[in-house]
Amino acid sequence: MAIYFKDPETNQEYSIRFKHFRNPGASYCDIFEEFDNNERYRLSEGVSNCHPNDNFCYETGRKLALKYALIETPLSFRTTVWKAYFARTTTNSNR
C-alpha cells in the first residue's frame, strides 16, 4: 500500500509505503521523498511488532509503524502526513 501526498509548505512530494507480515506479525512503514526522475530517498522508517498471543490487525500495525516513523520529524510534517494517511481511500477494508 502506498500513499502519495505533497507538503504544502515546501511543495515537495512524498510517499508512505507499508509492508505487512502476518507471521511473525509485523508492519513496516517507510516515508520517502519523491523526485521527478522517478527516484526516491528514504526519510524515515518505522516497525511495529505484534505479540504472538494478539490478533494481527493491518490497520493497527500501520498506525503504530507510521507513529514510530514520525518520531523524529517536525510537528508540521507529522500533521501533513497524518492528514494524508486519514484522507486515503481504501479498496479493501481488511487491509
Side-chain angles (χ1 to χ4, degrees):
M1 174 182 176
I3 301 169
Y4 297 92
F5 66 97
K6 189 178 277 194
D7 187 352
E9 292 181 7
T10 62
N11 211 27
Q12 178 63 45
E13 293 183 8
Y14 297 93
S15 68
I16 307 168
R17 296 175 184 268
F18 296 98
K19 293 180 190 173
H20 303 284
F21 299 96
R22 280 186 83 64
N23 202 357
S27 296
Y28 296 87
C29 172
D30 292 313
I31 301 174
F32 293 98
E33 186 174 2
E34 301 282 336
F35 296 101
D36 292 335
N37 55 359
N38 291 331
E39 291 186 17
R40 65 176 67 109
Y41 173 76
R42 181 184 296 142
L43 296 176
S44 183
E45 61 185 349
V47 179
S48 68
N49 294 304
C50 183
H51 190 275
N53 294 340
D54 290 338
N55 290 327
F56 180 77
C57 175
Y58 289 101
E59 186 66 20
T60 301
R62 276 194 293 267
K63 286 179 183 178
L64 287 172
L66 182 57
K67 174 186 166 184
Y68 297 141
L70 292 172
I71 285 176
E72 307 244 343
T73 60
L75 179 61
S76 61
F77 182 73
R78 272 184 271 162
T79 302
T80 302
V81 170
W82 281 113
K83 284 181 181 178
Y85 176 79
F86 287 116
R88 77 191 192 284
T89 57
T90 56
T91 56
N92 183 346
S93 61
N94 294 332
R95 292 184 167 212

